[in-house]
Amino acid sequence: MTIKISPSLMCMNLMEIKQQLAVLNTRADFLHVDIMDGHYVKNITLSPFFIEQIRPHTPLMIDVHLMVEEPTDFIAAVAKAGADYICPHAETINKDAFRVINQIRTLNKKVGIVLNPATPVSFIHHYIHLLDKITVMTVDPGYAGQPFIAEMVEKIAELKALKQQNGYKYLIEIDGSCNQKTYSTLLDAGAEVLIVGTSGLFNLDDNLETAWDSMSQNIKQAVRVLRESA
């Protein structure tokens, strides 16, 4: 079972950003950057400028989650800043989804789509084959530390089945409450990329190396449980 880990940088200690990036650079698979506009969600977090600042200091893929009402206002800027994946919410591109996907592709970036808890997989049916990654929100978007929405397990399993049946190449990513309590459930359903934030990584210990080791042990234990129950 191959599991990719994507730490959410909005949850890191920004006073120690260089030291924490140095730890993540040797351990993580992606770096997850949330950009919120204060309108699509009632919060404001990171920015294209933040991406530009960290890009020279990490070799990792930077995965940008656009929690914004108008993704086309941000796509060129985050691409120029150094993003590798650009991932708007499905609802925000419904009127021009193919144009937005083509814009991201033209910039030589990978295309992701984010599904809110109440948004069904059928919403992206006509362009699912064009996607490099699909992110399932297992909490409502906007804030860290929210409780897990168990109804999303069925959605993850649906994406796994569609991928297997049709030979789709997208990664199945989970955003929201990825931690010791949910790892087994998420991996069993078909999760391939786990976005870890406060509960999954950064709050496990003040020392990020120690926190990462704890997280790794929690994931290994979840995998063992799944193998023993198979």
Side-chain angles (χ1 to χ4, degrees):
M1 180 180 292
T2 301
I3 306 160
K4 296 183 182 298
I5 304 298
S6 183
S8 176
L9 299 193
M10 68 176 277
C11 302
M12 75 190 307
N13 183 347
L14 294 177
M15 296 299 291
E16 299 180 2
I17 185 168
K18 290 185 72 172
Q19 299 94 316
Q20 295 208 340
L21 274 179
V23 174
L24 298 178
N25 282 344
T26 61
R27 294 164 173 80
D29 298 286
F30 302 94
L31 295 177
H32 186 82
V33 174
D34 288 302
I35 294 181
M36 307 180 192
D37 63 358
H39 299 285
Y40 185 71
V41 292
K42 299 300 180 182
N43 197 4
I44 296 175
T45 50
L46 305 176
S47 68
F49 179 71
F50 176 83
I51 300 168
E52 181 182 339
Q53 293 297 298
I54 68 168
R55 179 72 280 177
H57 302 286
T58 180
L60 299 177
M61 302 280 274
I62 296 178
D63 176 29
V64 178
H65 177 183
L66 293 178
M67 280 180 264
V68 300
E69 286 188 350
E70 297 292 341
T72 53
D73 290 346
F74 290 84
I75 288 171
V78 298
K80 182 179 180 181
D84 296 290
Y85 281 81
I86 300 177
C87 311
H89 277 253
E91 300 88 353
T92 67
I93 68 166
N94 189 41
K95 66 183 184 297
D96 54 359
F98 288 89
R99 186 180 303 123
V100 172
I101 290 170
N102 288 336
Q103 180 188 6
I104 297 171
R105 285 265 184 257
T106 299
L107 293 167
N108 295 315
K109 306 301 178 181
K110 293 185 179 295
V111 181
I113 283 293
V114 185
L115 297 176
N116 278 332
T119 304
V121 174
S122 60
F123 202 87
I124 61 172
H125 169 75
H126 292 292
Y127 57 86
I128 191 171
H129 59 290
L130 300 175
L131 303 177
D132 298 301
K133 183 161 63 67
I134 299 174
T135 303
V136 176
M137 295 294 298
T138 52
V139 300
D140 285 322
Y143 297 93
Q146 297 183 79
F148 180 73
I149 299 174
E151 289 84 350
M152 295 305 98
V153 175
E154 182 180 348
K155 184 185 291 186
I156 299 165
E158 181 181 357
L159 287 168
K160 178 182 177 181
L162 285 170
K163 181 175 179 177
Q164 292 175 337
Q165 292 164 10
N166 297 283
Y168 296 146
K169 303 300 183 183
Y170 56 73
L171 291 169
I172 302 171
E173 181 178 69
I174 312 303
D175 189 354
S177 201
C178 293
N179 55 45
Q180 186 178 10
K181 296 178 181 179
T182 61
Y183 289 144
S184 293
T185 299
L186 295 172
L187 296 174
D188 188 44
E192 297 169 320
V193 183
L194 301 174
I195 297 173
V196 289
T198 51
S199 64
L201 175 61
F202 292 100
N203 279 2
L204 297 182
D205 196 277
D206 290 338
N207 183 298
L208 187 54
E209 291 179 310
T210 303
W212 188 278
D213 290 343
S214 297
M215 178 201 68
S216 297
Q217 288 302 314
N218 291 337
I219 293 174
K220 288 176 182 176
Q221 176 60 24
V223 172
R224 281 196 294 270
V225 169
L226 290 177
R227 287 173 175 165
E228 289 170 2
S229 63

